[in-house]
């Protein structure tokens, strides 16, 4: 999924998780950056980076530090999970 705002993306993922909690627990990884459109799909370094993030556990939403910094003042709180090495990328 893509969103036109970082805080909107985070909030939407939690709404989806709450809506589905009765039957399905989702996991999500969020990153921000430019994407390229290819037919009905998206690609680019931001998509690749999100795809190789540490695996989220059921019910968990992981975001890059970049995302958490860009939503300062949005009343969204984060819990630090430490640094994770990404294959082919610097530490995030």
């Amino acid at each position: 999924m893509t969103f036109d705002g970082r805080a909107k993306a985070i909030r939407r993922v939690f709404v989806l998780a709450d809506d589905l909690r009765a039957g399905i627990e989702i996991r999500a990884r969020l990153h921000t950056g430019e994407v390229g459109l290819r037919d009905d799909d998206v690609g680019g370094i931001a998509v690749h980076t999100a795809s190789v993030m540490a695996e989220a556990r059921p019910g968990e939403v992981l975001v890059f530090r970049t995302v958490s910094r860009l939503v300062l003042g949005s009343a969204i709180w984060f819990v630090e999970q430490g640094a994770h090495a990404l294959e082919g990328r610097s530490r995030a």
Side-chain angles (χ1 to χ4, degrees):
M1 298 176 94
T2 60
F3 298 90
D4 62 357
R6 291 162 285 281
K8 187 183 293 185
I10 294 167
R11 288 186 178 106
R12 184 65 184 138
V13 166
F14 279 106
V15 167
L16 285 171
D18 287 343
D19 288 350
L20 297 172
R21 195 167 307 277
I24 302 170
E25 269 197 294
I26 68 168
R27 7 176 144 212
R29 299 170 291 185
L30 300 172
H31 185 48
T32 187
E34 296 296 320
V35 297
L37 299 176
R38 289 183 267 166
D39 297 320
D40 292 335
D41 203 3
V42 294
I45 192 67
V47 175
H48 173 70
T49 301
S51 73
V52 298
M53 283 175 66
E55 189 65 34
R57 294 183 294 259
E60 185 175 56
V61 177
L62 297 178
V63 302
F64 264 76
R65 184 176 298 126
T66 304
V67 174
S68 65
R69 289 179 177 162
L70 289 171
V71 298
L72 287 174
S74 66
I76 298 173
W77 297 91
F78 298 93
V79 175
E80 176 69 41
Q81 297 294 311
H84 299 277
L86 301 176
E87 185 177 320
R89 302 277 296 157
S90 60
R91 293 176 77 82

